[in-house]
Amino acid sequence: MAKNNTYKQPDSPTPSRNNEPRPVRNQPKPAAEAPREPRRAEPKTTKAPKAPRRPLKLPSLRGAFSFLRDRRFQLFLGFFFLLASIYLTIAFVSFLFTGHADQSVVESVSSTPVKEAGQESGNWLGLIGAMLAQALIYKGFGVAAFAVIPVVFFLGYKIVFRRADVSISYVLALCLFVMVWLSVLMGYLVLTLEAPDADPILAHNLDFLSGGVGYEAALWLDSLIGWGTVLLLAFLLISFVVFFFNVTTLNLRRSADEDDDLAPAPTSNEKDLYEHAGLGVNHNANPTVSLDQEEEDDAMGMTVRRVGPVAQPSRSQPVVSKPSLSEDEPSDQLPVTNNGSVANNQVANNIAASASVPLTVASAASAPLSAAATMAAAGAVASTGPSFSIEAPAADPEPVAPVASRIPTPLSLADLADSNAPAPVASVLREVPTPALEIETTTDELDPSAGADMAAIAEDDDSEAMPTVNYDPTLDLPRYQYPTLELLNDYGAAKAQVSKEELEANKDRIVETLGHYGINIASIKATIGPTVTLYEIVPDAGVRISKIKSLEDDIALSLAALGIRIIAPIPGKGTIGIEVPNTKKEMVSIRSVFNTDKFVNTEMDLPIAFGRTITNEVFVADLAKMPHLLMAGATGQGKSVGLNVILASLLYKRHPSQLKFVLVDPKKVELSIFNKIERHFLAKLPDTEEAIITDTKKVVNTLNSLCMEMDRRYDLLKDAGCRNLKEYNRKFVERRLNPKKGHRFMPFIVLVIDELADLMMTAGKEVETPIARLAQLARAIGIHLIVATQRPSVNVITGIIKANFPCRISFKVTSKIDSRTILDTGGADQLVGQGDMLFSAGSDLIRVQCAFIDTPEVDRLCDFVGGQQGYPEAYALPEVAGEDGGNSSSEDFDAADRDSMFEEAARVIVTHQQGSTSLLQRRLKLGYNRAGRLIDQLEHAGIVGPFEGSKAREVLIPDEYSLEQLLNSLPKS
């Protein structure tokens, strides 16, 4: 009886279509015992075909073609195509001059020795070149055969250099159409030259223009439709251009009167510009679309965007229970139910019961097992002990919409408006259908009786006139293409690494350990995650939670596993959770996370896909709602990979005009790979060579510059009457803010600091103060901070910084003190490492397996973005006054205010090569105040360097001769 209930984890978490009708076969539960005998025979029939696998010799076939994957063979093939394109070019050009002379030589090859024929050939590449040109030009497509050369060249270029920006299908389609169309056109031209009244010699000399194929096709069309062949060719050309280049509108010039009459019309098409992704033509230039047409498109459902929230209620799955399974029935015959929508990531998998406990199954998002399901399972198998249910991981369905398209996605109004507020463009634009006509038809002359005040008001109105077409910031880089999933490694479908035996063994040990201390368990439910498995325990009535929590070390000892974490109780559930690490961990690839409906169709402003939770769901958070993020963890636990995942998520979802990064990397090697996207996504101080800040001295200036940018943005928000960045940008897009008054479209700015401990050690308060100020005030104006450190101690993560970072991420740390420092609670010291992290947002604590993105993937992503057209330079931050470090201004130390002992003090400093105030006090017998003023004057004159704390100032003049030259060049008092 112990072997009757077996469980086998499916090879792929994605349910196959063959399993969909199986729940119908097992639907009548009262007769569940009767169909067991025929089902026992099914595995025998299914196992019989598995024996004859020996005749299949697929490995040998694969080995025969394995040379195709050899890079050396690929390079050989690629260079062959490149040289072949050069060979064809020379042969074709030579045919234009020697083609008629070589025609007789090529036709007589069969009767003439090859050596003699080659000597008679006039082609520059000999007999082979003459034969190729004769076949492709004279007998083929004429001069249009030159279109074969780009196809061969780009094919070799693609193979050799592996460039993703070269599309062979694009070049092939374009060249084939040009070759066929031009050949037929030339054939019709040659055919018209063969008219009785035309010169026959001219037609014979030009017959190579069309080739045999083009001439025969033109002759056939001329016999059918006559001169209509020209109309047919024109129609084919127009059709190809429209479909191939995705032409949707025609920009036709009109007179000034017609433009005035149609002035309000462009407003009706604005919704199409902002809500339809993937249109290659700017619809602002089309003034012919009416409001009725837009309303008709909306009625057809062409602009529905909110997919994610609609699919959320369907995540709950019905509980499916199964009493028992026959001994011989294979585990892959288990029925699978999936009642969710496309965005539902959980699939209910029916699993058999174990030896001593009834086994029931529920989806990861379902409620606890009902009493009826438990009774049915208990009645089917007579057993004692707690009920045990398992939640198997399920794969995410493929998203309906692709992540990226060949044409950039415009910024939608849903990204600029609040989620609860409707997009206001349509209503605002429809309220002003006619005033534009009245304003334009009025005369420019004022009433003679009007005064000077009325004239000034009229001038202000003319200067503040705004266009009626909405502003689109993405048109700054209209050809920008979003990154595609092909840039990321595809590791295939993830396979569950937890076996049924491991689940049963852990369950038995947990029950046994708790039983030793007199704690009885009512039920256990196991949820399989990528790194850990969560066992939800329902204790009997009267059991104290603190008693179970105190047994954490005993359970870890019995399971012989590290990182046992007890959640007592689980928030929102009446259960106690025990997280046990899996023996074999499952890697969560970044491509599998990005290729989900939850990330593709997100409505967040700054979406970040961290990875997968313990229930195997994709975890996506909005940085704009956090609004700042604090990361910590020991060395080598995944912080740098986590930062790369955050940056990659934002690069995949935002346009360069909407987002800018300020990257601070004291390690100098972690974020240097993002230098390639400087002109697209990075911001820096003016006159700065490196966009990524690695010098600690420049970090303070950058932070102060961000504080100045914050103050400027708040001034703009105050003038515009807005409370946050989304409202301000929405008004600016609607042309309700005048750029002449200083208003501009403001992108999000994300400050990333890779190692805070090094900055706090070298700069201290100079860094802490601007970070705290930005964290307190910068949320509303779109400046967000991501700070990471490997030393989460109180002298690094101070109370001021910690209080302003409500969202925190902790990877594995070494002690409980560090865990409490970063999360205000324990648990981070019991993680298993390698991307295993805890995400804290307020009172919620979520365990997430961070996605993995390799360095070559980040390199390809940055190459793809950096290889496109960008801005002339990086986004300029405000320049900080006194950036050179001097604390004195030029007017403080002019020649008249210079001390009488200035030159003598300078000679003392240069002689001793020590710039200290105490030296001047001793040598010149001065007081401290006067010696300090002399040091300040020497610094202004360039003799000593800036203040360096307790150390003496650096002397910038090497010898007395250089000092005398400097003193002579200074202005005299």
Side-chain angles (χ1 to χ4, degrees):
M1 190 66 183
K3 297 289 185 177
N4 288 340
N5 301 326
T6 59
Y7 170 78
K8 181 181 179 182
Q9 197 68 24
D11 294 336
S12 176
T14 305
S16 61
R17 296 183 177 178
N18 297 331
N19 291 335
E20 292 180 355
R22 289 176 183 168
V24 180
R25 182 186 63 186
N26 298 329
Q27 187 174 2
K29 293 183 179 179
E33 297 294 336
R36 287 183 180 176
E37 295 180 359
R39 287 168 60 186
R40 289 179 181 176
E42 290 178 4
K44 296 179 180 180
T45 57
T46 55
K47 289 182 178 179
K50 293 183 180 179
R53 287 185 176 178
R54 291 176 295 178
L56 298 177
K57 296 182 180 180
L58 293 179
S60 62
L61 295 178
R62 294 177 182 176
F65 295 98
S66 60
F67 69 93
L68 295 177
R69 300 182 180 179
D70 190 357
R71 183 57 183 163
R72 294 172 297 177
F73 177 76
Q74 293 177 359
L75 291 175
F76 165 76
L77 194 62
F79 281 111
F80 173 77
F81 283 125
L82 290 176
L83 296 177
S85 63
I86 300 176
Y87 188 90
L88 290 177
T89 304
I90 299 175
F92 286 179
V93 173
S94 176
F95 180 84
L96 300 179
F97 302 99
T98 63
H100 287 284
D102 291 341
Q103 182 177 358
S104 59
V105 177
V106 173
E107 292 178 354
S108 62
V109 169
S110 57
S111 59
T112 305
V114 177
K115 182 178 180 181
E116 297 180 2
Q119 294 176 353
E120 296 178 2
S121 174
N123 194 283
W124 299 339
L125 294 180
L127 183 61
I128 301 297
M131 294 176 65
L132 286 175
Q134 178 77 8
L136 293 177
I137 296 181
Y138 186 79
K139 296 183 179 180
F141 299 92
V143 293
F146 277 89
V148 177
I149 298 174
V151 177
V152 179
F153 175 79
F154 278 105
L155 182 59
Y157 181 80
K158 177 80 171 180
I159 296 175
V160 172
F161 298 102
R162 292 182 175 179
R163 297 297 298 268
D165 53 351
V166 179
S167 177
I168 296 300
S169 59
Y170 181 90
V171 176
L172 182 62
L174 181 63
C175 293
L176 287 180
F177 176 81
V178 170
M179 184 171 61
V180 175
W181 186 86
L182 186 60
S183 176
V184 176
L185 179 64
M186 290 297 176
Y188 187 78
L189 178 63
V190 172
L191 191 63
T192 55
L193 293 177
E194 293 181 354
D197 53 347
D199 186 6
I201 300 178
L202 179 62
H204 177 70
N205 292 333
L206 297 178
D207 56 356
F208 70 94
L209 295 177
S210 62
V213 175
Y215 182 81
E216 294 296 334
L219 183 62
W220 183 72
L221 289 175
D222 183 67
S223 62
L224 290 179
I225 55 178
W227 59 268
T229 304
V230 179
L231 299 178
L232 178 61
L233 292 176
F235 172 74
L236 292 177
L237 179 62
I238 295 174
S239 302
F240 178 79
V241 170
V242 168
F243 285 97
F244 191 77
F245 295 101
N246 194 19
V247 178
T248 56
T249 57
L250 297 177
N251 299 329
L252 301 178
R253 294 186 179 179
R254 292 182 175 84
S255 61
D257 297 336
E258 292 179 354
D259 291 340
D260 294 340
D261 295 338
L262 296 175
T267 61
S268 65
N269 202 26
E270 287 305 308
K271 187 175 182 180
D272 185 73
L273 173 62
Y274 287 94
E275 291 190 6
H276 288 288
L279 297 181
V281 182
N282 189 353
H283 284 235
N284 289 338
N286 184 9
T288 60
V289 182
S290 63
L291 291 174
D292 297 336
Q293 181 178 352
E294 179 184 356
E295 295 175 356
E296 181 180 354
D297 293 340
D298 294 341
M300 296 173 62
M302 298 302 292
T303 58
V304 177
R305 288 181 55 83
R306 301 190 177 276
V307 180
V310 178
Q312 292 297 329
S314 64
R315 286 190 179 275
S316 61
Q317 300 289 341
V319 177
V320 182
S321 63
K322 187 172 182 181
S324 62
L325 297 175
S326 61
E327 181 177 359
D328 298 332
E329 181 177 359
S331 59
D332 56 0
Q333 299 294 329
L334 296 174
V336 178
T337 59
N338 184 8
N339 297 331
S341 62
V342 176
N344 196 348
N345 294 332
Q346 300 297 332
V347 179
N349 297 324
N350 292 343
I351 307 174
S354 64
S356 60
V357 293
L359 184 62
T360 56
V361 179
S363 65
S366 63
L369 294 175
S370 62
T374 307
M375 293 299 295
V381 179
S383 62
T384 60
S387 61
F388 182 42
S389 60
I390 301 173
E391 292 184 7
D396 298 302
E398 291 292 332
V400 177
V403 173
S405 60
R406 295 181 61 85
I407 301 176
T409 304
L411 178 66
S412 65
L413 286 182
D415 295 333
L416 299 176
D418 293 333
S419 57
N420 297 328
V425 174
S427 60
V428 172
L429 294 178
R430 291 174 184 172
E431 290 176 359
V432 288
T434 55
L437 294 176
E438 297 177 0
I439 293 175
E440 293 181 1
T441 53
T442 55
T443 59
D444 296 335
E445 299 179 359
L446 294 174
D447 189 357
S449 62
D453 295 338
M454 294 300 297
I457 294 175
E459 291 179 359
D460 293 340
D461 293 340
D462 292 338
S463 63
E464 296 178 2
M466 298 292 292
T468 58
V469 179
N470 281 4
Y471 173 76
D472 187 1
T474 61
L475 294 181
D476 295 341
L477 298 177
R479 298 181 181 179
Y480 177 79
Q481 297 182 9
Y482 287 82
T484 60
L485 287 180
E486 284 71 18
L487 302 173
L488 306 176
N489 295 336
D490 187 6
Y491 295 96
K495 297 182 180 180
Q497 302 292 334
V498 183
S499 62
K500 175 65 188 299
E501 291 76 11
E502 181 180 350
L503 294 174
E504 290 288 351
N506 290 339
K507 182 263 300 181
D508 294 338
R509 290 173 184 172
I510 292 174
V511 174
E512 180 183 359
T513 303
L514 296 178
H516 290 165
Y517 297 92
I519 300 175
N520 296 325
I521 304 301
S523 64
I524 301 179
K525 183 173 69 173
T527 303
I528 302 174
T531 304
V532 296
T533 299
L534 175 64
Y535 294 87
E536 296 185 34
I537 298 175
V538 179
D540 286 343
V543 177
R544 298 175 60 184
I545 295 178
S546 59
K547 189 175 182 181
I548 298 178
K549 197 168 184 179
S550 63
L551 300 176
E552 182 174 342
D553 296 334
D554 299 291
I555 296 175
L557 178 62
S558 64
L559 295 177
L562 297 176
I564 301 295
R565 179 169 168 263
I566 294 181
I567 310 172
I570 297 178
K573 296 183 180 180
T575 59
I576 298 173
I578 300 178
E579 294 178 349
V580 180
N582 299 334
T583 304
K584 296 181 180 180
K585 302 175 185 178
E586 174 187 336
M587 186 190 68
V588 179
S589 65
I590 190 68
R591 177 165 181 165
S592 65
V593 175
F594 285 175
N595 194 24
T596 55
D597 185 79
K598 190 172 183 179
F599 181 74
V600 170
N601 297 323
T602 181
E603 296 291 338
M604 299 178 181
D605 294 322
L606 297 174
I608 300 175
F610 285 102
R612 295 184 182 272
T613 62
I614 197 172
T615 57
N616 216 44
E617 294 181 357
V618 175
F619 182 72
V620 181
D622 190 1
L623 180 60
K625 298 290 180 64
M626 290 185 188
H628 310 293
L629 182 61
L630 184 62
M631 301 174 61
T635 303
Q637 303 302 321
K639 293 190 308 301
S640 298
V641 175
L643 284 176
N644 290 335
V645 169
I646 293 174
L647 296 176
S649 301
L650 298 176
L651 291 178
Y652 264 85
K653 296 298 291 185
R654 282 293 160 255
H655 191 272
S657 62
Q658 306 166 12
L659 176 65
K660 301 296 177 183
F661 293 110
V662 178
L663 303 182
V664 179
D665 183 18
K667 299 179 187 177
K668 300 182 181 181
V669 294
E670 296 293 344
L671 301 178
S672 59
I673 194 172
F674 292 96
N675 264 324
K676 304 171 185 177
I677 61 173
E678 175 181 346
R679 295 184 298 107
H680 299 80
F681 284 99
L682 297 189
K684 65 176 183 179
L685 291 173
D687 301 329
T688 304
E689 296 180 1
E690 294 289 338
I692 298 178
I693 306 167
T694 56
D695 188 2
T696 307
K697 299 179 182 178
K698 297 181 180 179
V699 175
V700 179
N701 295 328
T702 303
L703 294 177
N704 293 331
S705 177
L706 285 176
C707 293
M708 295 176 59
E709 175 73 12
M710 177 184 67
D711 296 335
R712 292 182 182 180
R713 290 192 173 196
Y714 269 119
D715 292 338
L716 292 177
L717 262 66
K718 177 183 176 182
D719 297 340
C722 301
R723 300 185 62 183
N724 52 53
L725 184 67
K726 293 174 68 174
E727 294 181 6
Y728 179 87
N729 282 340
R730 184 176 62 203
K731 281 189 176 182
F732 188 83
V733 166
E734 296 170 2
R735 304 286 189 178
R736 294 160 61 185
L737 300 176
N738 196 340
K740 296 181 179 179
K741 295 184 177 181
H743 293 288
R744 54 190 171 89
F745 183 86
M746 295 187 293
F748 288 99
I749 297 179
V750 178
L751 170 63
V752 180
I753 301 177
D754 188 23
E755 186 52 61
L756 180 64
D758 184 70
L759 299 181
M760 296 296 292
M761 182 184 301
T762 55
K765 290 292 183 181
E766 296 182 67
V767 172
E768 180 183 2
T769 302
I771 289 179
R773 188 164 181 261
L774 288 172
Q776 291 171 353
L777 302 175
R779 174 189 61 84
I781 44 87
I783 299 179
H784 305 280
L785 279 67
I786 300 176
V787 179
T789 180
Q790 64 181 1
R791 198 178 69 192
S793 55
V794 292
N795 59 342
V796 175
I797 305 178
T798 61
I800 299 177
I801 295 178
K802 187 177 177 181
N804 295 287
F805 283 80
C807 288
R808 304 164 194 168
I809 289 178
S810 177
F811 294 88
K812 181 177 176 60
V813 294
T814 55
S815 65
K816 292 184 179 180
I817 298 177
D818 292 342
S819 177
R820 293 191 183 100
T821 302
I822 181 68
L823 296 177
D824 292 330
T825 184
D829 57 315
Q830 296 171 337
L831 299 175
V832 297
Q834 295 181 354
D836 191 15
M837 70 181 192
L838 290 176
F839 180 86
S840 173
S843 59
D844 298 333
L845 197 63
I846 305 172
R847 189 166 187 174
V848 180
Q849 175 61 40
C850 183
F852 175 73
I853 180 170
D854 203 0
T855 303
E857 297 178 86
V858 182
D859 198 5
R860 289 195 296 267
L861 174 61
C862 294
D863 287 337
F864 180 84
V865 175
Q868 302 184 50
Q869 179 185 3
Y871 293 98
E873 56 184 7
Y875 185 83
L877 296 175
E879 188 173 0
V880 181
E883 187 176 339
D884 55 352
N887 297 325
S888 304
S889 56
S890 59
E891 58 267 13
D892 293 339
F893 302 109
D894 54 6
D897 296 337
R898 189 176 299 159
D899 195 282
S900 58
M901 301 185 69
F902 173 79
E903 295 184 0
E904 187 176 356
R907 293 186 180 95
V908 171
I909 292 295
V910 173
T911 302
H912 293 80
Q913 288 293 309
Q914 181 182 358
S916 66
T917 307
S918 60
L919 177 65
L920 296 181
Q921 290 180 264
R922 296 194 308 269
R923 293 291 181 180
L924 302 180
K925 299 179 181 180
L926 303 175
Y928 178 79
N929 293 335
R930 187 177 182 183
R933 288 195 298 270
L934 281 171
I935 288 292
D936 291 338
Q937 294 177 9
L938 292 174
E939 178 188 354
H940 173 70
I943 299 175
V944 296
F947 177 72
E948 297 182 4
S950 60
K951 297 190 299 183
R953 295 176 182 246
E954 180 185 2
V955 181
L956 304 178
I957 304 300
D959 50 28
E960 295 184 5
Y961 177 75
S962 302
L963 176 63
E964 295 298 332
Q965 289 182 334
L966 177 63
L967 294 177
N968 294 331
S969 63
L970 293 176
K972 303 296 181 180
S973 57

